[in-house]
Amino acid sequence: MVIMQKLSTYQSWIKWILFLSFVFLSIQYTSPQYSYFQDSHDKLIQTYSIWKNHFLSDALYYPAKVFDSNYEYIHLTKNLFLKIDERLVSAFPIQFAYLMAPFLFVFPLSSLVYTSLLFLILSFFLLRRYYQFSFLLLWISFFGTFLWPLSWEYSELPAIFAFSVFCLLPILKRKKETIFQLLGGIGLSWIVMVRLDTLPFFLLFFLSYFYFIWKDKNRNGFFKEILSIKILIFSGIIGILFQFLINTILVHHFLGSRYLANMNGFSVEMSTRLQWFQSLLFYGEKKIGFFVYLPITVFLLIFYGIKFNKINRTKKSLFLSMTMTIFLIPFLAPNDGFNNWGPRYFTVLLIPYLLLLKPILSIVFKKRKWIYSIFFSLLFLYSGTLGLIGAKIQKSKTNLIKKFQSVTNTIKPDIIVFTDYLNLYSMGSDYIKLMAIVSYTTESNTKLIHSISEMMPNKKIAFVDWHPSILTQEIRRTMNAEKLKGGFPISDWNSDLLENTLKNFTFDYQRVDIQTYRIWLGTIAEKESK
């Protein structure tokens, strides 16, 4: 008996090691240390700013502020920052940055993305220990859903998944101990304030759950059930009110900076909403929607819709809240998710999806229902294939950053100027090492050089554009026809004027072509030597 127990333990350890090794390698394949692009990059800089400010201020770190105090050349678009009481602050919720900043005492900045593994491991442990997930279902949970692509970049989404799994334990698994309820309520309040798009699901879930308790039990039974989770409810409400206070103090609005920055997106026309509906639920340009990524969801909605009156109240609550949230989010979201691979606005729905899937898979695979087994296996393989395609796309992004770091290591500038904000993101985590900015016009180039010559002599400056053989004038015009709608086109500098200005203000001017870039650079001369 003892030998059998030891053998079972060894087998369990082997399964854990094998599974977690594949999780790590699948993330490592994309070179996550070079994954800081767009939102991931901006969240990284926000976290770094909190750490650099010794946790005393939410003001964003801007390396070029020494000569650009008015933020004329900052790369951030209008929906990514706010000016509050003369402070430049990130549009992303401060709660995530404060949670992650302490990791910088241990992790180098470029490796902060690996913290996603910590949240994933926590999630898998909870699912295995308290939700009785088989190892097969753990594999499906990661590789067969968009949890995999959400783990490649630095973001709050792996933490959202882990905390959601934990904070629902008092209800879904009857874990009524004080510690589970207290931490669950705190975690729930954190989730809701970090991502407001999670609010519809949790609100609908709790309302449904309380309704079915009221319906199934008498009044005394209802209040007894509510009192059994009073610490969860109380700590959740106090946590949300506390964060309302913090948001009000910091950005003068109780819903926080993300809400303020996205206000324009909340008031778009219905025609735009319908386009987002298609993108978020089905497909869009370079986007895979919820139903297309997880087609089994359609089966779940039909199956539980038919069996609704025969399932318990927790499954009813999960089913109703998931179904309603799926169709609510496209009409509440501030955008369509841009170019994310995997519908990130539905991250919280991975929990009900997996919990509703679990009993069906148990029946299908344990009772050897071969036709259904093949059906589900093919759909899981399909979702996994989408993840693999996304990994290759992500790999191309990280390769861009990796290659550009070799460019900066070659030219070694102090100040680097890009033609557009997307081009700047190729800096990755090296953003904090240089003064990296964006200049959108030839006139702003000239103004910049004059300003720097006054304040920063002997600093090496580099202007970076795509090589004309890569980005021809025709291609540039075509791309800018779309980009102009957002107000941030790829700049079309007058290269002759830029060269002449740099020759006048630098003592070692040169133009070089490296990889896919054309670069004008030189060291700013002191005024006396001109």
Side-chain angles (χ1 to χ4, degrees):
M1 185 69 178
V2 174
I3 294 175
M4 293 300 293
Q5 289 178 341
K6 287 186 177 181
L7 182 60
S8 177
T9 301
Y10 291 147
Q11 288 177 338
S12 180
W13 275 106
I14 291 171
K15 289 177 181 179
W16 271 118
I17 292 170
L18 185 64
F19 172 61
L20 294 178
S21 296
F22 269 85
V23 169
F24 172 78
L25 291 173
S26 71
I27 295 174
Q28 183 60 30
Y29 167 76
T30 64
S31 301
Q33 66 271 36
Y34 300 104
S35 68
Y36 302 108
F37 197 85
Q38 288 186 270
D39 286 6
S40 180
H41 173 276
D42 295 333
K43 291 171 185 176
L44 181 77
I45 300 307
Q46 181 191 29
T47 304
Y48 175 78
S49 301
I50 298 298
W51 180 78
K52 188 174 179 62
N53 296 336
H54 307 292
F55 300 87
L56 299 176
S57 171
D58 60 344
L60 274 180
Y61 174 69
Y62 180 42
K65 189 176 180 180
V66 62
F67 63 83
D68 183 30
S69 57
N70 294 323
Y71 307 106
E72 296 179 49
Y73 297 94
I74 195 166
H75 70 283
L76 295 172
T77 56
K78 59 185 178 182
N79 68 324
L80 291 176
F81 73 94
L82 297 167
K83 266 192 168 183
I84 306 291
D85 301 330
E86 302 303 317
R87 302 185 337 269
L88 187 76
V89 300
S90 173
F92 296 107
I94 198 69
Q95 289 88 342
F96 176 65
Y98 265 94
L99 175 69
M100 303 306 296
F103 285 105
L104 288 175
F105 290 107
V106 179
F107 288 88
L109 190 67
S110 62
S111 298
L112 200 60
V113 68
Y114 287 104
T115 53
S116 66
L117 286 166
L118 301 178
F119 296 113
L120 290 174
I121 292 171
L122 174 61
S123 304
F124 300 142
F125 170 77
L126 294 172
L127 290 172
R128 178 71 175 162
R129 174 74 178 271
Y130 297 108
Y131 293 88
Q132 291 78 49
F133 272 37
S134 66
F135 277 100
L136 173 62
L137 193 50
L138 287 182
W139 282 80
I140 291 171
S141 300
F142 185 71
F143 293 103
T145 72
F146 49 87
L147 182 59
W148 182 16
L150 295 181
S151 305
W152 299 329
E153 296 185 325
Y154 177 66
S155 80
E156 72 282 2
L157 298 173
I160 293 290
F161 182 76
F163 294 165
S164 298
V165 171
F166 182 83
C167 73
L168 290 176
L169 278 172
I171 293 177
L172 297 180
K173 291 300 171 181
R174 317 295 293 176
K175 300 298 292 183
K176 303 296 180 64
E177 294 91 332
T178 299
I179 189 65
F180 281 97
Q181 293 198 53
L182 179 62
L183 294 180
I186 294 171
L188 182 61
S189 68
W190 185 90
I191 292 168
V192 170
M193 297 312 299
V194 169
R195 289 206 69 91
L196 294 174
D197 49 75
T198 63
L199 181 59
F201 168 74
F202 285 113
L203 184 61
L204 288 166
F205 174 78
F206 281 101
L207 288 176
S208 300
Y209 185 72
F210 293 152
Y211 168 76
F212 289 121
I213 293 175
W214 180 272
K215 184 180 177 182
D216 295 343
K217 298 186 177 185
N218 57 33
R219 183 175 297 181
N220 289 335
F222 172 78
F223 286 112
K224 183 178 180 181
E225 185 69 25
I226 297 299
L227 287 173
S228 71
I229 54 171
K230 62 182 182 297
I231 298 176
L232 174 71
I233 296 171
F234 182 75
S235 60
I237 292 174
I238 293 299
I240 289 174
L241 292 176
F242 175 73
Q243 292 180 82
F244 278 171
L245 176 62
I246 296 298
N247 288 338
T248 303
I249 292 172
L250 292 178
V251 299
H252 310 322
H253 194 287
F254 71 99
L255 289 179
S257 54
R258 183 74 276 186
Y259 177 82
L260 290 174
N262 280 338
M263 284 184 68
N264 290 334
F266 293 127
S267 57
V268 297
E269 296 179 356
M270 182 54 66
S271 59
T272 302
R273 284 284 173 197
L274 292 176
Q275 291 177 358
W276 293 357
F277 186 90
Q278 174 184 302
S279 296
L280 288 168
L281 294 187
F282 300 102
Y283 63 89
E285 185 180 358
K286 297 181 181 179
K287 286 186 284 289
I288 302 295
F290 187 75
F291 286 125
V292 175
Y293 205 110
L294 300 178
I296 294 177
T297 308
V298 178
F299 173 84
L300 292 179
L301 296 183
I302 296 172
F303 179 84
Y304 282 100
I306 295 172
K307 301 283 187 181
F308 187 77
N309 291 327
K310 298 179 181 179
I311 58 180
N312 63 40
R313 63 172 174 262
T314 54
K315 284 188 175 67
K316 286 179 180 178
S317 302
L318 288 170
F319 170 74
L320 284 177
S321 54
M322 181 178 79
T323 304
M324 295 176 71
T325 303
I326 286 173
F327 295 103
L328 274 175
I329 287 296
F331 296 103
L332 298 176
N335 53 62
D336 67 348
F338 297 112
N339 61 349
N340 285 85
W341 190 260
R344 58 189 167 94
Y345 285 125
F346 296 104
T347 301
V348 71
L349 295 188
L350 289 175
I351 310 301
Y353 169 82
L354 292 169
L355 293 177
L356 293 174
L357 184 64
K358 179 177 179 284
I360 296 175
L361 291 187
S362 297
I363 296 172
V364 169
F365 289 115
K366 285 184 179 179
K367 294 190 176 181
R368 301 182 183 276
K369 306 245 181 214
W370 296 113
I371 294 178
Y372 290 105
S373 297
I374 293 171
F375 170 74
F376 280 107
S377 297
L378 288 175
L379 289 180
F380 292 138
L381 182 62
Y382 159 79
S383 296
T385 301
L386 286 181
L388 186 59
I389 293 171
K392 291 186 176 296
I393 295 173
Q394 179 69 8
K395 183 76 170 177
S396 66
K397 292 181 182 179
T398 57
N399 281 339
L400 176 66
I401 295 175
K402 186 187 299 185
K403 289 179 179 179
F404 192 79
Q405 287 192 356
S406 68
V407 173
T408 55
N409 290 334
T410 299
I411 62 177
K412 294 181 171 57
D414 299 298
I415 306 162
I416 189 163
V417 189
F418 292 91
T419 51
D420 73 314
Y421 73 100
L422 288 176
N423 206 354
L424 179 141
Y425 283 124
S426 59
M427 291 284 296
S429 60
D430 276 358
Y431 175 84
I432 66 165
K433 300 177 182 178
L434 308 172
M435 299 177 188
I437 56 176
V438 175
S439 176
Y440 284 103
T441 66
T442 297
E443 291 72 22
S444 65
N445 283 348
T446 303
K447 179 182 176 182
L448 175 66
I449 295 170
H450 279 270
S451 176
I452 290 175
S453 69
E454 296 282 339
M455 303 176 64
M456 307 191 72
N458 300 314
K459 295 293 184 181
K460 192 173 186 179
I461 187 169
F463 289 78
V464 180
D465 192 8
W466 296 105
H467 194 279
S469 64
I470 301 296
L471 191 66
T472 64
Q473 286 298 321
E474 183 178 354
I475 295 174
R476 194 188 296 264
R477 281 194 294 270
T478 301
M479 293 176 65
N480 280 345
E482 183 65 28
K483 284 178 169 288
L484 277 169
K485 297 177 183 178
F488 296 95
I490 299 175
S491 309
D492 188 9
W493 295 335
N494 183 323
S495 58
D496 292 335
L497 182 58
L498 177 60
E499 286 189 17
N500 290 333
T501 306
L502 283 174
K503 286 177 181 177
N504 289 332
F505 285 86
T506 64
F507 57 77
D508 57 353
Y509 166 78
Q510 57 180 315
R511 191 190 77 184
V512 296
D513 294 334
I514 305 177
Q515 295 180 22
T516 56
Y517 301 98
R518 172 154 290 178
I519 303 172
W520 299 265
L521 69 159
T523 304
I524 301 295
E526 295 186 15
K527 292 186 67 173
E528 293 76 11
S529 63
K530 295 179 191 175

